[in-house]
Amino acid sequence: MAEAGRILDGKAVAARVRDEVAAEVGALRARGIVPGLATVLVGDDPASAVYVRNKGITCEKVGMASFSFTLPADTGQERLAALIDELNARPDVHGILVQLPLPRHLDANHIIARIAPEKDVDGLHPVSQGLLLAGRPGLRPCTPLGVMRLLDETGRDLTGLRAVVVGRSLLVGKPVGLLLLERNATVTWCHSRTRDLGGEVGRADVVIAAIGKARAIPGAWIKPGAVVIDVGINRTDCGLVGDVEFDVARERAAWITPVPGGVGPMTIAMLLANTAAAAARMRGES
Ligand code: NDP
């Protein structure tokens, strides 16, 4: 019987990324630069509050400054935009993160576009997206960066490999596909209208699942020896599960990420890496 696929342990890789960032922050501090991340939370959604708090704690652990702004749920567009303008102007703030989703009366696109692109550590500003499309240096979105870092852990050269990305959101699917293309993979994007999803996935050397539907990709679809990165986070009666049927897929894949403990822990780690990079770049040091 073939050996089961190796687990890509996101917790361990994220810890290594944090150590690397801590070293980078140490070097920046020695030159008088303390990278700073500002988080902006509007409203009192408990899950969002936990995410924002964790981001602040993790920042401080690697030696960065963290500035947290919590505004009431009924904050208006102009007030929020004014806070972004203030943060754009502050020299001690190198990264600005607006926790999404925003309350429905606020226009998230408008707010994100207000962030100075050089401080857009979430990589969601239209300028950051355009730079990614053009293949020019810029801040890339954190979850896609985490996916690429996990792929690096396999030691595989992606050149010429067939990569199938299931999902085409601006947050995950589209940018992951562009990052894979940058690394010379042959990329196919699939989505809810794809005709033969099983056939597409079955040809892939690398599968990225970013759908948001529990076990939507049966393990039997996975090509033997493929690398499977499962971005999905789905709450079920059996707890958190990914978009891929893990147990069966693991028997066929060479490498696979678990859920939880795969891509999830990478997102905050890459946010820290982006903030350190933004701080260095603002001082012309990258
Ligand atoms: P979206 O809902 O924005 O996008 C989902 C995508 O999946 C869409 O492109 C949709 O296609 C496609 N899709 C939906 N159903 C199917 C189907 N049956 N077959 C094929 N494609 C399908 O989600 P996100 O991209 O924001 O997130 C995806 C998942 O990743 C979620 O579970 C989310 O929780 C998780 N996530 C995890 C993160 C982490 O840190 N680990 C960070 C961000 C997200 P169409 O465009 O045609 O509608």
Side-chain angles (χ1 to χ4, degrees):
M1 212 176 99
E3 220 177 297
R6 294 170 69 180
I7 298 289
L8 277 167
D9 180 348
K11 273 193 200 159
V13 180
R16 278 206 293 284
V17 172
R18 284 196 299 273
D19 288 347
E20 289 163 19
V21 174
E24 219 176 306
V25 171
L28 285 167
R29 288 180 80 112
R31 294 196 292 283
I33 307 163
V34 181
L37 174 71
T39 55
V40 178
L41 173 64
V42 184
D44 46 16
D45 175 61
S48 292
V50 170
Y51 292 143
V52 166
R53 198 165 52 240
N54 285 344
K55 285 167 186 167
I57 293 169
T58 323
C59 258
E60 284 162 16
K61 276 192 189 151
V62 297
M64 290 187 188
S66 122
F67 311 98
S68 157
F69 298 85
T70 304
L71 303 178
D74 61 357
T75 298
Q77 187 84 14
E78 284 315 307
R79 167 75 191 93
L80 182 55
L83 173 61
I84 302 294
D85 291 347
E86 259 172 57
L87 297 174
N88 282 341
R90 270 176 65 164
D92 55 345
V93 169
H94 303 94
I96 301 171
L97 180 138
V98 176
Q99 184 65 40
L100 300 175
L102 287 172
R104 282 171 51 182
H105 68 279
L106 295 170
D107 177 350
N109 285 335
H110 178 262
I111 292 299
I112 288 167
R114 191 91 173 206
I115 296 172
E118 65 274 17
K119 297 191 178 187
D120 172 39
V121 284
D122 238 356
L124 298 178
H125 190 288
V127 167
S128 305
Q129 291 173 346
L131 291 171
L132 170 60
L133 187 66
R136 286 167 52 194
L139 290 160
R140 309 304 196 211
C142 302
T143 301
L145 273 184
V147 168
M148 298 309 290
R149 178 64 192 249
L150 287 170
L151 285 173
D152 287 340
E153 292 293 311
T154 67
R156 284 203 182 169
D157 178 1
L158 299 175
T159 302
L161 296 189
R162 281 179 202 269
V164 166
V165 181
V166 192
R168 55 175 165 177
S169 71
L170 266 184
L171 190 64
V172 190
K174 276 184 193 161
V176 165
L178 290 169
L179 290 172
L180 286 161
L181 191 63
E182 214 165 63
R183 300 279 287 275
N184 301 315
T186 302
V187 181
T188 302
W189 272 280
C190 297
H191 44 77
S192 66
R193 313 290 175 89
T194 296
R195 276 202 192 145
D196 177 15
L197 186 59
E200 299 293 347
V201 170
R203 279 188 286 278
D205 304 304
V206 175
V207 179
I208 314 292
I211 305 171
K213 291 201 171 125
R215 304 189 189 96
I217 298 191
W221 284 0
I222 303 299
K223 175 172 151 181
V227 179
V228 179
I229 308 284
D230 192 347
V231 185
I233 301 176
N234 307 290
R235 278 172 217 289
T236 70
D237 295 341
C238 318
L240 284 189
V241 301
D243 291 342
V244 178
E245 187 193 11
F246 178 83
D247 295 340
V248 181
R250 188 181 176 195
E251 295 302 319
R252 300 171 68 85
W255 293 88
I256 188 165
T257 56
V259 177
V263 177
M266 296 299 296
T267 300
I268 293 187
M270 302 321 290
L271 172 70
L272 300 178
N274 268 352
T275 306
R281 209 170 285 148
M282 266 178 248
R283 293 291 187 104
E285 296 202 11
S286 71

